[in-house]
């Protein structure tokens, strides 16, 4: 086999379909986020504003978070030195897990190197703990959940997105005595819509199923202490396993689950993705713990973020741009073509200094390509105004469809 040719053909296919992804080399500026410096391939530089970051609340530059990381770095050095089982558990990891358990009102929490690994490792391990387990998975669940469920060797059922009637029909068709788990998300990040948490919990109670929720795009952002949509809706006590990230609203790195002490103990004891992975550097754990603690009492940041998202949506809608609005903090603008989506992204960056990454297949279905904006408390009114005017200008120049504002 000509391996080089096979690689070339695989890459060329992405180019032909208009969905080849390129890295944008940027340098975030501490104390000046969301501003950054874009280092072009030709060596020149341009000042830009980042509009697609997942550091939703700007916590990646919070002075207390940075101070906590410096303290841990000076005290312990760079890395953890091993897996959690072999010299890689420090006081910083334990403090972080205690903060997370407290955040979600659970007995325990377990920290992983990412929320992707937390989902994959946990969902692929559960059938070992509950033989015969059937997992019911929302059709739009994140790739990490899909991968974990695929690899678990157990039975799976995929229900149409947020379709409770379909979920019920699948559960009714299975053995009432079989162990069951419903896996879903609180916020689906590409459309920004919410999962029907309470109704799913009701079904779980009716059919004797466990509940597993991914709150990755909600932790830090919703609820009186930032524990997510389940906290906002008063439903955390009805969720058996909560998955979250430390890399988005908390501005650092890592992922976790929060659950009963027995559940966390079993996952840490059986999940290869936990057992055989070097633990987070202590400095990262310390920064994450500080961020979680701070956001438990930082409602003003959540309020500011929601306000900026509402302002941006209202102004883009007012120009007739095709906004997908389900009431969350995420602002997707539908384009519907990978080539046009990439071209818009390139023009925003080069001409206006606005960085928003195109979202193409397989992240979203073909034909639903979009630009996905993530306003934060640190985006100011002038930056919002500049973005709106740039989008208006490019939408007209590229002759893209607008909504009929007379309807």
């Amino acid at each position: 086999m000509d391996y080089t040719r096979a690689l070339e053909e695989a890459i060329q296919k992405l180019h032909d379909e208009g969905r080849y992804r390129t890295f944008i080399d940027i340098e975030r500026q501490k104390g000046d986020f969301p501003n950054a410096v874009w280092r072009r391939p030709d060596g020149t530089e341009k000042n830009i504003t980042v509009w697609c970051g997942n550091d939703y609340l700007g916590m990646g530059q919070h002075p207390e978070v940075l101070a906590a990381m410096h303290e841990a770095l000076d005290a312990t050095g760079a890395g953890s030195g091993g897996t959690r089982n072999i010299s890689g558990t420090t006081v910083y990891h334990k403090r972080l897990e205690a903060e997370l358990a407290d955040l979600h009102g659970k007995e325990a929490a377990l920290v992983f190197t990412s929320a992707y690994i937390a989902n994959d490792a946990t969902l692929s391990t559960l059938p070992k703990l509950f033989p015969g387990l059937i997992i019911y998975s929302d059709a739009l669940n994140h790739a990490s959940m899909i991968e974990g469920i695929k690899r678990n060797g157990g039975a799976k059922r995929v229900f149409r997105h947020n379709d409770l009637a379909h979920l019920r029909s699948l559960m009714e068709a299975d053995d009432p005595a079989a162990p069951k788990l419903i896996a879903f998300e609180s916020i689906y990040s590409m459309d920004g819509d919410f999962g029907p948490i309470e109704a799913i919990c009701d079904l779980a109670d009716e059919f004797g199923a466990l509940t597993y929720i991914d709150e990755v795009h909600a932790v830090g952002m919703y609820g009186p202490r930032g524990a997510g949509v389940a906290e906002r809706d008063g439903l955390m006590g009805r969720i058996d396993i909560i998955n979250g990230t430390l890399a988005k609203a908390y501005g650092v790195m890592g992922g976790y689950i929060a659950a009963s002490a027995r559940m966390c103990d079993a996952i840490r004891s059986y999940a290869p993705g936990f057992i055989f992975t070097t633990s987070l550097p202590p400095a990262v754990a310390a920064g994450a713990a500080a961020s979680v603690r701070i956001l438990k009492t930082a409602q003003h940041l959540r309020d500011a973020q929601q306000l900026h998202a509402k302002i941006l949506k209202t102004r883009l809608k007012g120009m007739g741009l095709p906004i997908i609005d389900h009431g969350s903090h995420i602002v997707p603008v539908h384009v519907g073509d990978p080539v046009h989506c990439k071209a818009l992204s390139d023009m925003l960056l080069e001409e206006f200094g606005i960085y928003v990454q195109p979202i193409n297949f397989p992240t979203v279905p073909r034909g639903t390509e979009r630009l996905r904006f993530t306003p934060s408390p640190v985006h100011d009114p002038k930056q919002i105004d500049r973005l709106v005017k740039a989008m208006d200008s490019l939408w007209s120049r590229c002759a893209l469809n607008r909504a009929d504002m007379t309807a």
Side-chain angles (χ1 to χ4, degrees):
M1 180 179 184
D2 186 339
Y3 297 104
T4 299
R5 181 178 177 183
L7 294 174
E8 290 174 348
E9 289 175 352
I11 296 299
Q12 187 59 47
K13 180 182 178 182
L14 298 178
H15 282 289
D16 293 342
E17 294 177 0
R19 59 187 184 93
Y20 179 78
R21 303 184 184 200
T22 57
F23 291 142
I24 305 298
D25 185 2
I26 65 171
E27 181 178 321
R28 284 165 43 117
Q29 298 174 321
K30 187 185 77 171
D32 198 28
F33 184 77
N35 295 316
V37 175
W38 171 36
R39 304 190 187 283
R40 294 186 177 99
D42 64 4
T44 60
E45 298 180 356
K46 183 180 181 68
N47 293 323
I48 63 170
T49 302
V50 178
W51 274 100
C52 57
N54 285 334
D55 186 356
Y56 291 141
L57 300 177
M59 293 302 290
Q61 62 177 359
H62 194 286
E64 291 183 51
V65 173
L66 301 184
M69 297 184 75
H70 280 294
E71 184 275 328
L73 181 65
D74 291 339
T76 68
S80 69
T83 66
R84 288 292 297 275
N85 289 318
I86 305 176
S87 80
T89 295
T90 70
V91 64
Y92 301 101
H93 297 87
K94 300 301 289 185
R95 287 175 186 168
L96 174 56
E97 289 173 341
E99 286 283 4
L100 292 168
D102 172 75
L103 174 69
H104 292 289
K106 298 298 184 186
E107 292 178 339
L110 194 63
V111 171
F112 295 76
T113 50
S114 72
Y116 187 108
I117 297 299
N119 270 334
D120 187 359
T122 302
L123 288 167
S124 62
T125 298
L126 288 170
K128 300 176 186 176
L129 305 173
F130 308 109
L133 179 69
I134 302 170
I135 296 183
Y136 302 85
S137 175
D138 188 286
L140 293 189
N141 276 342
H142 189 265
S144 58
M145 301 174 76
I146 295 170
E147 188 65 25
I149 293 168
K150 274 183 183 178
R151 290 199 307 105
N152 68 26
K156 67 174 181 180
R157 312 280 187 262
V158 178
F159 61 93
R160 291 186 291 271
H161 178 53
N162 281 351
D163 190 331
L164 297 169
H166 188 214
L167 173 58
R168 171 180 284 279
S169 69
L170 292 174
M171 299 185 81
E172 287 176 337
D174 284 320
D175 181 359
K180 301 175 177 67
L181 179 140
I182 306 173
F184 63 108
E185 299 185 35
S186 63
I187 297 179
Y188 293 85
S189 65
M190 290 301 110
D191 284 346
D193 58 330
F194 295 88
I197 302 175
E198 184 171 18
I200 286 178
C201 289
D202 290 342
L203 279 176
D205 289 345
E206 182 180 344
F207 288 92
L210 296 171
T211 48
Y212 184 106
I213 191 169
D214 180 309
E215 289 255 37
V216 159
H217 289 274
V219 289
M221 304 292 293
Y222 295 84
R225 298 204 308 158
V229 180
E231 183 195 30
R232 182 198 70 179
D233 296 346
L235 297 168
M236 281 199 303
R238 300 185 66 186
I239 303 293
D240 293 293
I241 305 173
I242 298 172
N243 169 275
T245 186
L246 303 164
K248 292 184 169 59
Y250 293 117
V252 192
M253 179 186 175
Y256 64 90
I257 60 167
S260 69
R262 284 190 179 89
M263 181 68 77
C264 289
D265 193 20
I267 296 299
R268 78 166 188 89
S269 300
Y270 281 86
F274 180 85
I275 296 170
F276 298 105
T277 299
T278 298
S279 64
L280 287 177
V284 171
S291 187
V292 172
R293 174 179 51 78
I294 293 164
L295 285 183
K296 287 177 181 177
T297 58
Q299 186 61 37
H300 64 287
L301 291 177
R302 288 185 277 277
D303 291 342
Q305 197 283 329
Q306 291 286 340
L307 176 62
H308 288 177
K310 184 176 182 179
I311 291 171
L312 180 59
K313 287 179 183 179
T314 299
R315 294 194 62 185
L316 292 176
K317 281 181 183 178
M319 298 187 305
L321 268 63
I323 304 299
I324 304 170
D325 185 6
H326 294 283
S328 74
H329 61 284
I330 295 167
V331 187
V333 180
H334 181 265
V335 178
D337 178 271
V339 175
H340 292 166
C341 200
K342 179 67 166 61
L344 284 168
S345 173
D346 289 346
M347 287 186 286
L348 283 167
L349 184 63
E350 186 64 55
E351 297 180 29
F352 298 94
I354 292 169
Y355 174 40
V356 57
Q357 191 74 4
I359 307 295
N360 297 326
F361 178 85
T363 306
V364 296
R366 298 179 193 275
T368 69
E369 292 81 7
R370 68 203 59 184
L371 300 175
R372 177 180 172 273
F373 298 96
T374 54
S376 75
V378 293
H379 284 94
D380 62 38
K382 289 183 179 179
Q383 290 167 334
I384 294 174
D385 190 58
R386 181 173 175 80
L387 169 61
V388 169
K389 290 178 178 177
M391 288 290 286
D392 187 28
S393 171
L394 291 180
W395 223 257
S396 296
R397 186 194 310 176
C398 299
L400 294 170
N401 289 335
R402 297 184 190 243
D404 182 359
M405 301 310 293
T406 64

